[in-house]
Amino acid sequence: MASTQQHVQFVQQLQSPNPVEVYSALRTIKNSIIGSTTKKSLYFKLQIIPHVTSLLALDDTDVQIRVQATAVISSLAHKDEDTARQLLDSGVVGSLINQIAPGADCVLTEASVRALNALLSYESIKLGVEKHVGLLVPYLLSIISEAKDISRVFEMRAHARIELAILVLGKLCMTEARQYTIANTGVIDMLASLLPCGYPRLQIAALKALSALSYENMEICGALFLVKLKHKTYTDAILDLARNQDPDISLNACMCISNMSRMRIGDLLKDIQTVVVPALVKLLKTPGFLALQVVQSLGYLCHEDADIQAAAKNAGVISELIKILSVIEGQVDADFVDQEYNMRMVKGVFLTLGTIVSTNEECRRKAVEDQALVYLVRAMGHNDNGVKAAACLCTRYIIRSVSICRTHVPESGILVPLLALLQDKTADVQVTASATLVNLLTDFSPLRADALKAGLIDILAKLLRSENSTVCRNALWSIRNLLVGVDDDTRKEIIEKIKIETLFSLSSAPHEAFLQEHALGALRNIVVDSMLGINAVFDTMGNDRVIALLRQAMRSDTEPAIKVHGLYLANNIAVRSQEHCGILVGDEWLLRSIASHVTSSSSEVAVAALWCINSIASHRVPSQSQQESDGESVEEAGVCRYRAELNALDLQATLEHMLGDPQLGLEVRDRVRSCLDYFPDSET
């Protein structure tokens, strides 16, 4: 075994004027570092990178020396991303590209493409080679074009460099712009022609490149859908490969179909239900295969598609995912187990399980039946922030179910660890934990009372001061839910600790529409059916600021969701308090704005405005006995108190015209009829 001093001598020998000595040193270093992280680290400290890259930069360096130096670069690139970054910064990528130019030595070309493939294993390097893409892609296509005469590929021993060139091309498809640049070279037909070639390694490489090329790209997925091979369509060829017994071929074919499914290209649902999902489940059960990649592929395939989620559940995916969690939990203290991989697997399982249960009630029930909540609650106490965040996200989707929230959640023990995560120091954990809390604070949740006893309002008040706007939004959302159906004692505590002033400030937060929306929603719920809430708002802010807030919410350029909350805030004030209703009606601009929104193209905005008009019109002049005691005119008894203001807007004619519109939605039509009941001359 060579000593450290000998390794130093090998590095120094790279500067020798004798090419034989340089070649010998490179070969010794290469053989030493292959498969040895320790040796790679040693040579990295000995500053080997500038020595090796300088050899490749010289025009007169011998081909055999270049091959050995390139092999060293390739091995070093596998060490870690920091090493790959230093290699990129050294300028070696340009030298490697020059070595794959058409006409270059075949052995050197293969070694260079192999080194590029190793370097591009890292996301930062894929992005960092942008300036080289224009030269690199044509050279790669030149290598791939050798596969046209597929019968001679193995005779020429070209299969390795063709495979590597395809893999590098796929790794370059990091951005939409690059996808289009590469697709426009005509590479789609070249890659598609390799699908039925019969050589597994080339098929796998082609599938990986096609998957990367079409990822989240509707136009390229559409172009692939139209590709015709000799005896079948591209889709049929991919589906055949998804059935292949080679797990790598099957997985990558499934990923290609998943891309097309996500972009809604073609009618693929039946094929996904009968071919793709069963293939992925089979791979999930295959010992020693890339289980994490299969799990992630299932999550991608099932994203926002209830039919595919149901197919996954029916194929046993949920049960298989829970089994993985069980196996990993049993390996926590085991020797010779890659705990870091297991941690990534747990995170992947939670994210995929969360996707599968995100929209489908049956899937949620199946997850709960398989004890998913047990694993999720335990994972909330995990040391890794990513695992905690993933557990919160999955839990959030499961507890969207009202029945699960009422029955299984209270006995799961989720509240204590979730409240602890709300105070976690990591932003990602706080974001997902606070999003999960939102569903636990609805008026039907049994955990509401326990959360209040545990000091929830103080925690929410603290979250509102977070610099992370998403955490702040989730806290506002929780406050909104907490205020629904709450008694005045709790309402008073919320008002005292959350502060009306804070909600007003967030309601007008510049460039933060989602904060405005939820802050207005919280104010809306503070005043609903509560004089305590109404008085608190007006006493704290004053009439002018309340009016200004409502005006801002109803401006023409305001987003519909904010308008809805602003209109319901006005409605809840108007319907409950005649005194405060008069304040709103007294502002001519505000009243005219409310009236103008009854014809909004958004049905939600229109219904909210109609409710507001309904509440304003519901206030009547007092009865005769009340008028006599108050000294009012008896002739006005029972008449709408604000009829003059409403008539000035010609509102009756507007409402009657709306009622004659056959396209008017049922909910809007019902509200229009209700409003017209307050106009005595209406024919409705």
Side-chain angles (χ1 to χ4, degrees):
M1 180 179 289
S3 65
T4 302
Q5 185 57 41
Q6 286 177 305
H7 292 300
V8 172
Q9 291 173 356
F10 293 145
V11 173
Q12 292 173 342
Q13 195 173 324
L14 297 179
Q15 301 177 67
S16 170
N18 185 340
V20 175
E21 290 184 2
V22 175
Y23 177 86
S24 175
L26 282 170
R27 187 167 183 176
T28 302
I29 292 169
K30 178 196 72 175
N31 293 336
S32 176
I33 65 177
I34 289 176
S36 174
T37 303
T38 303
K39 292 291 176 59
K40 288 174 186 175
S41 298
L42 172 61
Y43 277 102
F44 183 76
K45 292 177 181 177
L46 294 175
Q47 298 293 308
I48 191 175
I49 289 178
H51 291 292
V52 177
T53 54
S54 64
L55 289 171
L56 297 183
L58 296 173
D59 293 334
D60 59 348
T61 302
D62 181 75
V63 169
Q64 295 304 317
I65 290 177
R66 285 183 178 277
V67 170
Q68 295 300 319
T70 302
V72 170
I73 295 292
S74 181
S75 185
L76 288 172
H78 284 293
K79 179 178 178 287
D80 54 39
E81 191 162 359
D82 288 338
T83 304
R85 168 56 66 181
Q86 288 213 24
L87 287 167
L88 176 66
D89 293 342
S90 73
V92 74
V93 171
S95 299
L96 294 174
I97 293 173
N98 291 334
Q99 292 178 172
I100 67 169
D105 179 85
C106 292
V107 176
L108 180 59
T109 296
E110 181 181 331
S112 301
V113 181
R114 192 178 299 279
L116 287 168
N117 188 49
L119 280 166
L120 291 170
S121 298
Y122 309 100
E123 301 299 305
S124 65
I125 308 301
K126 292 177 186 177
L127 292 171
V129 297
E130 184 65 38
K131 67 179 182 180
H132 299 290
V133 172
L135 183 60
L136 178 55
V137 170
Y139 288 178
L140 294 172
L141 293 176
S142 176
I143 298 170
I144 297 169
S145 66
E146 296 178 31
K148 288 180 180 177
D149 189 0
I150 199 69
S151 62
R152 296 188 58 218
V153 164
F154 275 77
E155 293 175 22
M156 300 185 304
R157 299 187 59 81
H159 58 284
R161 62 176 177 271
I162 295 173
E163 174 198 356
L164 289 164
I166 295 171
L167 291 173
V168 170
L169 192 72
K171 289 178 178 179
L172 291 176
C173 297
M174 273 288 290
T175 64
E176 187 179 82
R178 284 200 204 161
Q179 288 175 325
Y180 285 125
T181 297
I182 292 170
N184 289 335
T185 64
V187 73
I188 288 178
D189 290 331
M190 294 173 67
L191 294 174
S193 68
L194 292 173
L195 297 180
C197 74
Y199 299 126
R201 292 181 70 90
L202 287 182
Q203 287 175 307
I204 293 167
L207 287 167
K208 286 183 176 181
L210 287 166
S211 175
L213 190 63
S214 60
Y215 179 74
E216 295 289 315
N217 193 310
M218 182 178 293
E219 190 173 340
I220 293 178
C221 282
L224 286 170
F225 185 73
L226 298 175
V227 169
K228 302 290 183 183
L229 302 177
K230 286 184 179 180
H231 304 294
K232 59 184 69 174
T233 65
Y234 169 81
T235 306
D236 289 336
I238 294 291
L239 288 168
D240 284 346
L241 292 173
R243 300 183 183 96
N244 198 288
Q245 295 303 307
D246 185 313
D248 279 307
I249 291 177
S250 179
L251 173 60
N252 286 287
C254 288
M255 291 169 70
C256 288
I257 288 291
S258 296
N259 288 348
M260 298 177 73
S261 171
R262 283 286 298 271
M263 295 296 102
R264 302 294 188 263
I265 302 296
D267 185 10
L268 297 172
L269 179 59
K270 185 176 180 181
D271 293 321
I272 288 170
Q273 291 172 328
T274 59
V275 178
V276 178
V277 171
L280 289 172
V281 173
K282 180 181 177 182
L283 292 173
L284 204 57
K285 297 177 180 179
T286 303
F289 189 61
L290 303 171
L292 179 55
Q293 197 170 348
V294 178
V295 167
Q296 292 169 336
S297 299
L298 278 164
Y300 182 74
L301 178 65
C302 293
H303 183 70
E304 293 184 353
D305 195 312
D307 291 327
I308 299 178
Q309 291 165 9
K313 188 263 296 183
N314 294 336
V317 171
I318 293 174
S319 296
E320 289 301 319
L321 293 175
I322 301 299
K323 285 180 185 176
I324 291 173
L325 294 175
S326 177
V327 170
I328 290 176
E329 201 167 86
Q331 295 176 340
V332 171
D333 297 319
D335 295 327
F336 310 111
V337 172
D338 188 342
Q339 298 295 348
E340 185 177 346
Y341 174 82
N342 276 358
M343 185 172 64
R344 286 188 284 121
M345 176 62 84
V346 169
K347 179 181 175 181
V349 167
F350 285 151
L351 293 176
T352 294
L353 184 60
T355 298
I356 294 172
V357 304
S358 61
T359 60
N360 192 296
E361 184 71 10
E362 290 297 321
C363 292
R364 293 181 191 127
R365 279 202 281 268
K366 176 60 178 171
V368 171
E369 287 172 10
D370 287 350
Q371 304 300 308
L373 285 174
V374 174
Y375 294 99
L376 290 167
V377 171
R378 282 205 283 261
M380 288 181 185
H382 200 279
N383 292 329
D384 183 75
N385 292 325
V387 171
K388 290 188 284 192
C392 288
L393 185 65
C394 184
T395 304
R396 175 190 177 191
Y397 290 134
I398 289 178
I399 63 176
R400 280 179 174 175
S401 166
V402 174
S403 60
I404 290 173
C405 209
R406 282 177 170 169
T407 55
H408 295 85
V409 171
E411 61 191 31
S412 68
I414 190 176
L415 185 61
V416 173
L418 185 62
L419 292 180
L421 292 182
L422 290 174
Q423 302 169 80
D424 196 274
K425 295 179 180 179
T426 308
D428 287 347
V429 175
Q430 276 198 333
V431 166
T432 52
S434 57
T436 304
L437 179 70
V438 172
N439 291 342
L440 289 179
L441 298 180
T442 51
D443 55 341
F444 54 76
S445 172
L447 288 181
R448 220 189 201 194
D450 293 336
L452 288 169
K453 291 176 184 176
L456 174 65
I457 298 175
D458 290 314
I459 295 173
L460 291 174
K462 185 176 180 181
L463 292 180
L464 284 183
R465 298 191 293 272
S466 171
E467 294 181 359
N468 186 302
S469 58
T470 305
V471 171
C472 187
R473 180 204 63 180
N474 291 340
L476 285 169
W477 203 339
S478 292
I479 292 165
R480 275 181 57 191
N481 284 354
L482 195 57
L483 283 162
V484 175
V486 74
D487 59 63
D488 270 352
D489 287 340
T490 304
R491 191 188 311 270
K492 184 177 180 182
E493 184 182 359
I494 292 172
I495 290 170
E496 289 174 350
K497 292 182 176 179
I498 301 301
K499 308 295 183 187
I500 298 292
E501 185 70 59
T502 300
L503 296 177
F504 257 76
S505 176
L506 293 170
S507 296
S508 53
H511 314 301
E512 297 282 5
F514 58 95
L515 289 182
Q516 293 178 38
E517 175 190 346
H518 290 288
L520 270 172
L523 286 168
R524 160 190 171 181
N525 290 348
I526 278 179
V527 302
V528 67
D529 293 330
S530 172
M531 282 306 302
L532 183 148
I534 293 172
N535 288 330
V537 167
F538 278 87
D539 291 347
T540 302
M541 305 310 301
N543 297 354
D544 291 344
R545 290 181 69 192
V546 174
I547 294 295
L549 179 66
L550 292 173
R551 278 184 164 220
Q552 177 183 299
M554 294 179 211
R555 284 185 344 206
S556 59
D557 60 343
T558 301
E559 293 187 15
I562 295 175
K563 287 183 178 180
V564 168
H565 286 301
L567 286 163
Y568 278 117
L569 173 58
N571 171 74
N572 293 346
I573 292 169
V575 73
R576 184 71 177 178
S577 169
Q578 181 175 297
E579 176 191 352
H580 295 95
C581 181
I583 295 170
L584 304 188
V585 174
D587 187 275
E588 183 181 350
W589 187 96
L590 181 60
L591 184 61
R592 189 171 296 278
S593 180
I594 292 171
S596 71
H597 281 96
V598 302
T599 57
S600 171
S601 58
S602 165
S603 60
E604 287 186 73
V605 172
V607 168
L610 287 163
W611 268 112
C612 217
I613 295 295
N614 200 99
S615 296
I616 291 170
S618 68
H619 291 289
R620 301 298 207 178
V621 174
S623 65
Q624 181 175 345
S625 59
Q626 289 176 313
Q627 291 182 61
E628 289 173 347
S629 64
D630 295 338
E632 295 187 27
S633 170
V634 177
E635 286 79 11
E636 299 296 319
V639 175
C640 173
R641 179 175 289 275
Y642 303 111
R643 63 176 178 170
E645 290 86 348
L646 296 176
N647 286 337
L649 301 173
D650 201 20
L651 198 55
Q652 181 175 339
T654 300
L655 295 174
E656 288 175 346
H657 179 73
M658 290 175 66
L659 207 56
D661 181 3
Q663 302 299 319
L664 196 65
L666 291 177
E667 190 177 6
V668 178
R669 185 178 296 276
D670 180 61
R671 281 294 94 217
V672 169
R673 287 184 182 278
S674 179
C675 284
L676 282 171
D677 287 343
Y678 289 101
F679 292 86
D681 298 331
S682 172
E683 296 180 0
T684 61

